[in-house]
């Protein structure tokens, strides 16, 4: 099983929880800085499965990705800073309106991109009211520190690290995102590795339950696996707490706002039916 993992994501969770003990198949890990990169790997059949946010998946799916959602998870409650537009501590920006005409960095098609568009729409501002700059998380961090950009729309663990280094939240994502994550698999894995894919997803569900009951233990192992400072790992665990949730009609319907947001911003025409994106295995 070839598994894609974002920084502080699936790999750390599975190793920390011990959910892979006795696994009867080999696992090959690939690390990615953002969902965009992981989804590209899925589309090219370089990995079999990976966890991404709902917004980046919908962006990729409507852009033609052959990958499908096989399982879902959702936050019990969304803490401040799990997803946010952050600014330097000396910035005068305290809302999306304060960033009109300013440079906001994020990754195209990411949950950060979605947050910017949703916040603009909620404020009745056009999608081009801010100057979105497409950067990787590492480049965005450096650009914010040097003042090359005015704000950065991002997610944990990047938000937690930025806040610890003096950044401040200008737009919090709790009003715009339910904290839904999707396990997304390639067409080949769904066809040829269905049994082991289902087993992996079941182990992941157990790992999620373990992480919610062992926050301190998980944070220590997360720090060790990722190189994150322990306080950042602790904040990441607390802000990114999730549990398995069923792929039902309500969950599928809730994705419509994501499609509408990207479509109304001119990112795509959203011509693929929502229900076609889901092939539940867990």
């Amino acid at each position: 099983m070839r598994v894609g993992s974002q920084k502080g994501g699936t790999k750390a969770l599975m190793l920390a929880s011990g959910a892979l003990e006795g696994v009867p198949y080999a696992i090959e890990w690939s690390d990615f800085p953002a969902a965009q990169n992981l989804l590209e790997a899925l589309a090219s059949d370089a990995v079999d499965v990976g966890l991404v946010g709902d917004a980046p998946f919908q962006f990729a799916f409507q852009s033609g990705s052959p990958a499908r959602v096989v399982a879902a998870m959702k936050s019990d409650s969304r803490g401040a800073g799990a997803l946010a537009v952050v600014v330097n501590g000396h910035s005068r920006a305290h809302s999306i309106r304060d960033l009109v005409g300013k440079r906001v960095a994020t990754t195209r098609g990411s949950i950060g991109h979605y947050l910017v568009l949703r916040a603009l729409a909620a404020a009745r501002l056009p999608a081009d009211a801010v100057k979105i700059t497409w950067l990787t998380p590492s480049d965005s961090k450096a650009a914010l520190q040097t003042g090359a950009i005015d704000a950065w729309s991002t997610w944990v663990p990047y938000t937690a690290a930025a806040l610890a280094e003096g950044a401040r939240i200008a737009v919090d994502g709790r009003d715009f995102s339910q904290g839904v994550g999707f396990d997304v698999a390639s067409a080949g894995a769904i066809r040829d590795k269905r049994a082991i894919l289902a087993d992996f997803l079941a182990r992941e569900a157990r790992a999620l339950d373990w992480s919610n009951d062992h926050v301190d233990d998980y944070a220590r192992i997360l720090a060790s696996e990722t190189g994150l400072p322990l306080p950042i790992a602790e904040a990441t665990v607390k802000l990114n707490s999730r549990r398995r949730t069923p792929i039902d009609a309500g969950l599928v319907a809730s994705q419509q706002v994501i499609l509408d947001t990207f479509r109304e911003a001119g990112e795509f025409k959203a011509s693929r039916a929502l229900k076609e994106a889901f092939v539940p295995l867990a």
Side-chain angles (χ1 to χ4, degrees), residues 8 32 35 46 62 88-89 125 137 175 190 217 223 255:
F32 300 93
Q62 292 299 334
N88 279 320
L125 294 168
D175 293 336
I190 294 171
D217 292 337
Q255 296 294 294

Side-chain angles (χ1 to χ4, degrees), residues 2 21 54 79 86 131 146 156 163 189 195 212 234 258 260 266:
R2 302 169 300 167
E21 291 180 7
D54 53 357
V86 297
K131 299 175 182 177
T146 62
V156 287
L163 294 173
N212 289 309
E234 290 172 342
I258 296 174
D260 292 343

Side-chain angles (χ1 to χ4, degrees), residues 98-260:
D98 294 333
L99 292 169
V100 169
K102 304 295 185 180
R103 298 156 299 180
V104 181
T106 194
T107 305
R108 189 166 188 261
S110 69
I111 190 70
H113 183 189
Y114 172 70
L115 173 59
V116 173
L117 296 178
R118 281 281 284 129
L120 288 169
R124 298 183 181 277
L125 294 168
D128 60 357
V130 301
K131 299 175 182 177
I132 300 182
T133 302
W134 307 126
L135 294 175
T136 64
S138 59
D139 288 342
S140 295
K141 176 182 178 181
L144 185 66
Q145 291 173 336
T146 62
I149 57 172
D150 301 290
W152 176 20
S153 187
T154 191
W155 53 91
V156 287
Y158 303 115
T159 46
L163 294 173
E165 293 171 0
R168 177 174 53 75
I169 295 174
V171 180
D172 188 74
R174 285 179 292 179
D175 293 336
F176 306 109
S177 172
Q178 296 181 314
V180 174
F182 289 147
D183 284 295
V184 182
S186 68
I190 294 171
R191 182 186 64 245
D192 301 330
K193 302 181 181 181
R194 199 177 188 90
I196 61 174
L197 184 56
D199 177 79
F200 181 85
L201 295 172
R203 290 171 183 271
E204 182 188 49
R206 294 196 293 271
L208 288 168
D209 290 339
W210 175 89
S211 69
N212 289 309
D213 296 331
H214 299 81
V215 172
D216 293 338
D217 292 337
Y218 181 25
R220 282 194 295 272
I221 298 173
L222 176 63
S224 175
E225 287 294 326
T226 62
L228 291 170
L230 183 57
I232 305 303
E234 290 172 342
T236 297
V237 170
K238 292 173 182 177
L239 288 170
N240 212 29
S241 173
R242 289 172 172 172
R243 296 186 189 276
R244 180 70 76 222
T245 194
I247 298 175
D248 55 20
L251 180 81
V252 174
S254 73
Q255 296 294 294
Q256 188 63 50
V257 67
I258 296 174
L259 298 189
D260 292 343

